[in-house]
């Protein structure tokens, strides 16, 4: 028994692996690292793992193996997301009372539906709950879904999560509140004693509506980072302005979370990034106008009932967003200008981009489809599709500290996505999903799709209005985007 990155690993338990050999052949294989794709490739899956991979004709089917013809298809590794918020979203409600093993599983199944193999909840889970869920998932008590990871959260008293997420984390005591370096050290040691290997802290004080709280000062987060590193932990830092991003990177944070959108990167910060080379989760898409504003988007709408889609377009979301009818304003234009300027600066300075979405606080940017939007942004802002795929498949496993997935290679888990088009030509082709396989077993996407539609309908007004956690749809905000 061993712990890795907040995940209890007991052998290689997964009850849905197929025991028989299966030969998949004829597809283009995108390995997930810097190596060239294998054209007209083949691979064998045995007991949930890839046992052989190479050119078609050079890989032979074992006796009795089943064959799957993937001619004309492209296969890539499953995606790995290091930054989501999970368990509170109900689509027709958002509440701490939605937080349950069943709802967390629903969210992980939604991730898997869109080709995600692992997902890490970032600072928002009660520790005992998260550990129990991981143990149950590893014991095979749940149906196939993305593997669940989590990071323990730290913030100043009353601060941290945004004004919506904090409504879930506070009643569950999911975030460790710290005010001094000594408190930071003590809290980290407590978490380390539970064998948790990932932590996240919030720096900014968010908004004045919560009492103008103080942000976490450098002496506190520096003590947190130093103590966490003594215990071999990976440290993630939520920081959204230039001063704070400079501070946390200089202090040695492992994963910088967020992209500057209100300021431009300066030369001093570029030098700090070059010296430290942190992992970087841009998590940009939540601030974008919803894709649903561009018309019918079956890729997104397939997992949401019509009423939820209509609410998103009307701006009726629990985390405030503008309706699709609102024109873009100067602030939005400035955000786009800063993103186009800053994103290449982070990359050129050596920040190691990894996939994260912030999904889970708004139905407009939710589980699974958010990953594909985020990847599209990476390419639009300056990296190649091949680089975006590496950032979304193999590199996140370095942060998760797992070595059994992320690439198509002998000995790795058979976590892969079969596509009907080549994403190396157009990154939007990651959306052309034919099928998803986790641990060698094909996911029942048709069954999941029907379940997602029904699960949300079951929580709608007729049933949910009698529950104390039901929140009527909010009115759209008056301000423009």
């Amino acid at each position: 028994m061993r712990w890795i990155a907040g995940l209890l690993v007991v052998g290689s338990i997964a009850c849905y692996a197929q025991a028989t050999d299966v030969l998949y052949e004829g597809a283009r294989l995108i390995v997930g690292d810097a190596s060239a794709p294998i054209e007209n490739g083949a691979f064998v899956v045995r007991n949930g793992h890839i046992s052989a991979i190479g050119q078609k004709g050079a890989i032979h089917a074992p006796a009795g193996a089943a064959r799957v013809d993937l001619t004309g298809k492209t296969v890539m590794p499953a995606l790995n997301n290091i930054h989501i918020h999970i368990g509170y979203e109900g689509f027709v409600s958002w509440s701490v009372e939605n937080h349950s093993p069943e709802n967390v599983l629903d969210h992980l199944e939604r991730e898997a539906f869109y080709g995600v193999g692992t997902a890490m909840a970032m600072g928002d889970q009660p520790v005992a709950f998260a550990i129990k869920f991981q143990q149950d998932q590893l014991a095979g008590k749940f149906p196939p879904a993305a593997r669940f990871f989590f990071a323990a959260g730290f913030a100043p008293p009353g601060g941290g999560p945004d004004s919506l997420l904090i409504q879930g984390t506070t009643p569950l005591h999911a975030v460790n509140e710290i005010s001094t370096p000594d408190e930071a050290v003590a809290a980290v040691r407590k978490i380390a004693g539970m064998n948790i290997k990932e932590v996240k802290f919030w720096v900014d004080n968010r908004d004045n509506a919560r009492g103008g709280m103080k942000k976490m000062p450098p002496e506190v987060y520096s003590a947190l980072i130093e103590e966490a590193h003594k215990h071999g932990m990976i440290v993630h830092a939520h920081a959204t302005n230039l001063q704070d991003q400079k501070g946390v990177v200089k202090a040695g944070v492992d994963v910088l979370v967020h992209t500057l959108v209100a300021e431009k990167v300066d030369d001093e910060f570029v030098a700090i990034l070059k010296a430290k080379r942190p992992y970087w989760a841009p998590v940009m898409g939540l601030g974008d106008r919803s894709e649903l504003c561009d018309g019918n988007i079956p890729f997104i709408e397939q997992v949401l009932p019509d009423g939820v889609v209509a609410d998103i377009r009307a701006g009726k979301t629990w985390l405030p967003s503008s309706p699709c009818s609102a024109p873009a304003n100067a602030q939005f234009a400035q955000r786009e200008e800063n993103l186009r300027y800053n994103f290449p600066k982070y990359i050129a300075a050596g920040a190691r981009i990894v996939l994260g979405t912030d999904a889970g606080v708004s139905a407009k940017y939710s589980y699974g489809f958010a990953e594909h939007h985020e990847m599209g942004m990476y390419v639009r802002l300056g990296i190649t599709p091949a680089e975006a795929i590496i950032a979304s498949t193999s590199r996140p496993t370095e942060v998760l500290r797992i070595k059994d997935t992320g690439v198509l290679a002998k000995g790795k888990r058979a976590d892969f996505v079969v596509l009907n088009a080549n994403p190396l030509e157009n990154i939007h082709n990651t959306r052309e999903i034919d099928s998803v396989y986790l641990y060698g077993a094909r996911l029942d996407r048709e069954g999941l799709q029907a379940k997602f539609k029904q699960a949300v309908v079951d929580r709608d007004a007729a049933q949910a209005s009698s529950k104390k956690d039901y929140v009527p749809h909010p009115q759209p905000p008056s301000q423009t985007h």
Side-chain angles (χ1 to χ4, degrees):
M1 182 182 297
R2 59 199 174 98
W3 284 84
I4 298 180
L7 177 65
L8 180 64
V9 179
V10 186
S12 297
I13 299 172
C15 294
Y16 47 90
Q18 295 182 352
T20 56
D21 293 316
V22 181
L23 173 66
Y24 300 85
E25 55 186 351
R28 173 185 301 103
L29 306 181
I30 299 175
V31 177
D33 58 17
S35 59
I38 303 172
E39 301 292 341
N40 197 22
F43 60 101
V44 175
V45 173
R46 173 184 297 169
N47 294 327
H49 292 80
I50 296 172
S51 61
I53 185 168
Q55 205 77 37
K56 181 180 178 181
I59 302 298
H60 303 288
R67 290 176 178 265
V68 178
D69 183 5
L70 296 179
T71 300
K73 308 289 187 184
T74 297
V75 175
M76 63 175 283
L79 306 177
N80 296 297
N81 183 348
I82 71 157
H83 194 112
I84 64 169
H85 299 291
I86 198 165
Y88 305 100
E89 174 68 75
F91 296 97
V92 297
S93 67
W94 199 103
S95 170
V96 64
E97 305 236 1
N98 289 341
H99 193 277
S100 66
E102 293 78 14
N103 206 36
V104 169
L105 176 62
D106 175 83
H107 297 167
L108 293 171
E109 288 177 325
R110 290 171 185 270
E111 290 281 307
F113 179 88
Y114 284 103
V116 180
T118 64
M120 181 154 62
M122 210 20 71
D124 57 11
Q125 299 300 303
V127 169
F129 171 93
I131 291 173
K132 178 66 163 57
F133 188 94
Q134 290 174 329
Q135 291 171 336
D136 288 347
Q137 187 178 49
L138 284 161
K141 294 183 180 180
F142 302 133
R147 286 191 285 174
F148 173 68
F149 290 72
F150 79 101
F154 294 80
D162 62 53
S163 58
L164 180 66
L165 184 58
I166 202 168
Q167 296 178 37
T169 58
T170 298
L172 296 181
H173 305 287
V175 177
N176 298 277
E177 296 189 339
I178 54 176
S179 300
T180 67
D182 287 345
E183 288 178 357
V185 170
V188 169
R189 288 176 179 172
K190 180 180 177 181
I191 293 298
M194 302 176 190
N195 292 312
I196 294 168
K197 296 299 184 183
E198 303 268 351
V199 297
K200 173 201 177 169
F201 66 89
W202 285 265
V203 176
D204 60 317
N205 60 345
R206 293 292 187 174
D207 55 75
N208 291 326
R210 287 185 269 165
M213 292 131 352
K214 294 181 179 179
K215 65 173 62 179
M216 186 182 291
E219 63 268 21
V220 175
Y221 65 67
S222 295
L224 186 157
I225 293 169
E226 181 180 357
E227 186 65 24
H229 286 168
K230 289 178 183 177
H231 298 278
M233 293 176 169
I234 294 283
V235 185
H236 306 242
H238 166 107
T240 56
N241 67 44
L242 181 58
Q243 178 185 359
D244 291 337
Q245 289 209 347
K246 287 178 181 179
V248 299
V249 175
K250 191 181 295 185
V253 75
D254 301 290
V255 185
L256 176 64
V257 181
H258 289 294
T259 306
L260 295 175
V261 296
E263 303 168 87
K264 285 186 168 63
V265 169
D266 64 15
D267 291 342
E268 181 187 21
F269 188 36
V270 168
I272 294 170
L273 289 171
K274 285 182 176 179
K276 296 292 188 176
R277 296 192 69 247
Y279 291 99
W280 171 48
V283 288
M284 302 174 288
L286 183 60
D288 275 1
R289 182 172 181 263
S290 172
E291 290 188 31
L292 293 172
C293 294
D294 298 328
N296 294 328
I297 311 293
F299 184 72
I300 297 175
E301 296 177 43
Q302 63 184 322
V303 298
L304 298 174
D306 293 343
V308 172
V309 172
D311 285 339
I312 292 170
R313 288 177 172 142
K316 296 179 180 180
T317 55
W318 279 268
L319 189 70
S321 63
S322 297
C324 292
S325 59
N329 60 17
Q331 183 179 2
F332 184 78
Q334 185 64 55
R335 174 183 181 272
E336 180 65 19
E337 178 186 325
N338 288 342
L339 283 174
R340 289 184 178 277
Y341 179 86
N342 289 337
F343 185 91
K345 294 283 189 180
Y346 284 92
I347 296 296
R352 293 173 285 173
I353 185 171
V354 286
L355 178 65
T357 59
D358 245 357
V361 292
S362 177
K364 78 165 190 172
Y365 200 63
S366 195
Y367 307 107
F369 62 78
E371 281 83 344
H372 296 269
H373 180 95
E374 202 81 17
M375 293 171 69
M377 292 188 75
Y378 299 164
V379 174
R380 179 172 65 83
L381 293 173
I383 67 175
T384 68
E387 291 167 336
I389 289 170
I390 292 171
S392 305
T393 56
S394 60
R395 190 174 297 127
T397 67
E398 298 170 14
V399 174
L400 293 165
R401 288 178 171 171
I402 53 176
K403 297 183 178 180
D404 61 353
T405 193
V407 293
L408 303 180
K410 182 178 180 179
K412 302 294 186 181
R413 282 173 54 111
D415 298 334
F416 60 92
V417 185
V418 180
L419 303 170
N420 293 319
N422 182 4
L424 296 175
E425 296 177 350
N426 185 330
I427 195 63
H428 286 278
N429 288 337
T430 61
R431 302 175 180 222
E432 298 295 326
I433 299 174
D434 174 86
S435 50
V436 174
Y437 290 77
L438 297 179
Y439 206 56
R442 180 168 176 158
L443 197 68
D444 179 11
R445 298 182 75 241
E446 293 77 13
L448 284 175
Q449 183 181 8
K451 174 188 170 186
F452 296 154
K453 293 272 191 180
Q454 186 61 41
V456 177
V457 171
D458 284 347
R459 300 187 191 120
D460 215 334
Q463 186 172 358
S465 61
S466 64
K467 296 176 62 178
K468 62 182 179 180
D469 68 311
Y470 181 73
V471 182
H473 289 300
Q475 294 300 309
S478 57
Q479 70 269 23
T480 56
H481 193 32

